[in-house]
């Protein structure tokens, strides 16, 4: 499958790894919108929020259990924001489910991660 984030997970494209386990991979966004801008993706290919099902949602739960630790490791000391853009109206540009973690500074109200 020709998926950018699958290639990053596989190590075929270099990235600034923040955290990895059997289920997820977290890395620095290539064009950060805040001092801390990390993407967390499931290792299995899920196209977007629209493709979360009862069969694959356990990995999404694991990601959300881990996000506070990833945010702290990445440098968020006093809060952070989590965003997932889904579909054209939200401006999703990579069709592999991902959660933006933004922080490291006081965030403007309107920031969509990309
Ligand atoms: P979205 O537009 O919500 O689908 O977010 C996609 C994000 O992916 C965007 O903030 C930029 C980031 N991105 C795109 N290509 C690369 C890449 O090759 N490496 C890294 N680290 N991030 C990327």
């Amino acid at each position: 499958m020709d998926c950018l984030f699958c290639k990053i997970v596989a190590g075929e494209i270099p990235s600034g790894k923040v955290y990895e386990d059997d289920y997820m991979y977290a890395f620095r966004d290539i064009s950060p919108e805040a001092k801390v801008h990390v993407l967390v993706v499931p290792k299995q290919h899920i196209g977007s929020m629209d493709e979360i099902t009862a069969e694959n949602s356990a990995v999404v739960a694991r990601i959300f259990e881990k996000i506070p630790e990833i945010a702290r490791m990445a440098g968020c000391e006093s809060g952070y924001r989590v965003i997932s853009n889904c579909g054209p109206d939200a401006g999703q540009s990579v069709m592999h489910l991902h959660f933006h973690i933004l922080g490291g500074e006081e965030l403007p109200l309107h920031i969509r991660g990309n």
Side-chain angles (χ1 to χ4, degrees), residues 12-112:
E12 293 166 17
I13 294 174
S15 63
K17 180 165 91 171
V18 175
Y19 175 80
E20 179 177 19
D21 65 21
D22 288 347
Y23 305 96
M24 71 196 80
Y25 187 75
F27 57 102
R28 306 270 175 189
D29 194 288
I30 204 166
S31 54
E33 291 289 321
K35 279 188 183 155
V36 174
H37 188 169
V38 170
L39 302 173
V40 190
V41 307
K43 285 192 168 177
Q44 73 183 96
H45 184 85
I46 300 172
S48 75
M49 296 279 295
D50 277 345
E51 292 183 17
I52 297 173
T53 65
E55 281 68 44
N56 64 25
S57 61
V59 69
V60 179
R62 285 181 185 273
I63 287 173
F64 273 82
E65 286 168 25
K66 212 71 193 175
I67 278 176
E69 191 182 326
I70 295 170
R72 273 194 305 277
M73 286 189 304
C76 298
E77 287 173 3
S78 53
Y80 53 89
R81 187 174 295 156
V82 178
I83 293 172
S84 187
N85 294 311
C86 179
D89 282 1
Q92 182 180 3
S93 60
V94 180
M95 299 301 135
H96 182 129
L97 178 65
H98 53 282
F99 299 97
H100 299 258
I101 301 175
L102 298 144
E105 61 183 321
E106 191 174 338
L107 299 168
L109 275 181
H110 300 289
I111 186 169
R112 63 181 207 175

